Structure formats: structure tokens, C-alpha cells
């Protein structure tokens, strides 16, 4: 019985702590994560722009159709 009361009291205290305490910390974490995601998004856009302007070298001995070499 004492264990059940301690558990319920812990739930109540934990719930109140979750309602009142983490707001400043949560805002701080949201701001930090937003900065990181903005930086990653910028890098991703730059990488996409680099891929758009990328020109691949063409092989010298390229034939339009596959050759018929091989065993039959």
C-alpha cells in the first residue's frame, strides 16, 4: 500500500514538474535545434545546387549499343 501511494505521489509531482519547470529549457532547446536545422537546410540547398551544376565526364570508348562479346 505504501508503495502504491509513493508511486502515485511521484506521478503527481512529476506531472506538476513537467507542467511548470521545463518551459524555459524547452524554449532554449527549440531555439538550438532550430539553428541546427536551419544550418543543415542551408547546407542541403548548397549541395543540391552543386549537384545541379555537376557535369560528369563521358567515357572515351562509349558505344551507343552494348557489344556482343561473350560466350554463347
Amino acid at each position: 500500500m505504501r508503495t502504491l501511494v509513493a508511486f502515485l505521489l511521484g506521478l503527481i509531482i512529476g506531472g506538476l514538474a513537467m507542467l511548470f519547470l521545463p518551459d524555459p529549457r524547452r524554449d532554449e532547446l527549440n531555439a538550438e535545434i532550430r539553428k541546427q536545422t536551419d544550418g543543415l537546410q542551408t547546407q542541403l540547398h548548397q549541395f543540391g545546387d552543386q549537384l545541379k551544376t555537376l557535369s560528369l565526364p563521358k567515357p572515351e570508348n562509349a558505344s551507343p549499343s552494348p557489344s556482343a562479346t561473350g560466350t554463347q
Side-chain angles (χ1 to χ4, degrees):
M1 184 70 180
R2 193 180 322 176
T3 307
L4 180 61
V5 171
F7 176 72
L8 291 176
L9 187 60
L11 283 178
I12 292 169
I13 292 172
L16 290 174
M18 289 298 291
L19 287 175
F20 295 109
L21 291 180
D23 285 339
R25 179 69 179 142
R26 189 179 327 172
D27 293 339
E28 182 182 318
L29 286 174
N30 282 340
E32 184 178 328
I33 289 172
R34 182 163 290 135
K35 279 191 257 182
Q36 291 176 356
T37 55
D38 288 344
L40 287 173
Q41 187 175 12
T42 303
Q43 290 178 354
L44 187 61
H45 283 294
Q46 290 173 352
F47 183 66
D49 292 340
Q50 288 176 358
L51 286 179
K52 286 178 187 175
T53 59
L54 182 68
S55 61
L56 297 175
K58 296 191 180 217
E60 294 178 12
N61 296 331
S63 61
S65 62
S67 61
T69 58
T71 59
Q72 293 182 0

